[in-house]
Amino acid sequence: MPEPHILAAILWALLLAGAGGALTTIGPWYRNLKKPSWQPPDWLFGPAWTLILSAAAWAAVLAWEGAASPRDQMIVIGLYAANFVFHFLWSPLFFALKRPDWALGESFFLWTSVVALCVGILPYSTLASALLVPYVLWVTFATYLNYVIVRLNGPFGTKSPPMSGGA
């Protein structure tokens, strides 16, 4: 039986990946949004997130094992818990509520939580911190993509369909 911290890291990644997949609906609303030509194909997002969250789970295990005291372990837990909340919130805002503008605002908190995670676990494991760099880069890219989608389609929250030209 794996150690509890390994099970917790796997559960963290599975819950985020599962929730992200379940809350991401590629339906007519999403298909009708104007998107930049450089957006990756829809099929790429699932594998990308799987790899990124797997690396982040591995980083959690390494950081936990490098944390020398219960206080340090609580720091690791706190950083991962905050990231869990902000990561979880993005998909329902964008897809379920159809508010890419709110998702864009929330992505600042997601990005900040990933950077805090990357920096915060550095004292416990250099490798763990390095494993989170792709997460930082992907969220940076996804935030910019979200921004462009808002610009091309806003305003949101009105009964009329998205307008071209953006805000």
Side-chain angles (χ1 to χ4, degrees):
M1 181 78 168
E3 297 285 327
H5 69 282
I6 295 172
L7 290 175
I10 293 169
L11 184 61
W12 174 89
L14 288 174
L15 285 173
L16 281 179
L23 295 168
T24 300
T25 305
I26 306 296
W29 173 82
Y30 177 76
R31 283 192 192 94
N32 288 329
L33 290 173
K34 292 180 180 74
K35 297 171 206 79
S37 61
W38 47 264
Q39 176 177 319
D42 293 337
W43 64 263
L44 182 63
F45 287 88
W49 278 120
T50 300
L51 290 172
I52 288 165
L53 293 175
S54 296
W58 182 18
V61 170
L62 295 173
W64 180 267
E65 292 173 352
S69 69
R71 179 187 174 279
D72 291 338
Q73 291 173 336
M74 289 307 297
I75 290 170
V76 173
I77 290 170
L79 290 167
Y80 271 88
N83 174 257
F84 183 92
V85 169
F86 294 122
H87 187 113
F88 178 84
L89 288 174
W90 189 89
S91 288
L93 290 172
F94 192 100
F95 290 101
L97 296 177
K98 297 178 173 65
R99 292 303 304 254
D101 51 342
W102 291 356
L104 179 60
E106 193 280 336
S107 66
F108 166 79
F109 297 102
L110 171 57
W111 185 87
T112 302
S113 77
V114 179
V115 171
L117 193 56
C118 191
V119 173
I121 68 171
L122 183 59
Y124 312 121
S125 171
T126 304
L127 176 57
S129 183
L131 285 168
L132 293 171
V133 171
Y135 193 1
V136 173
L137 295 175
W138 188 255
V139 170
T140 301
F141 170 76
T143 298
Y144 183 66
L145 176 59
N146 190 163
Y147 167 76
V148 172
I149 289 171
V150 168
R151 294 277 301 165
L152 291 173
N153 296 279
F156 294 93
T158 62
K159 297 218 186 256
S160 60
M163 298 171 20
S164 63

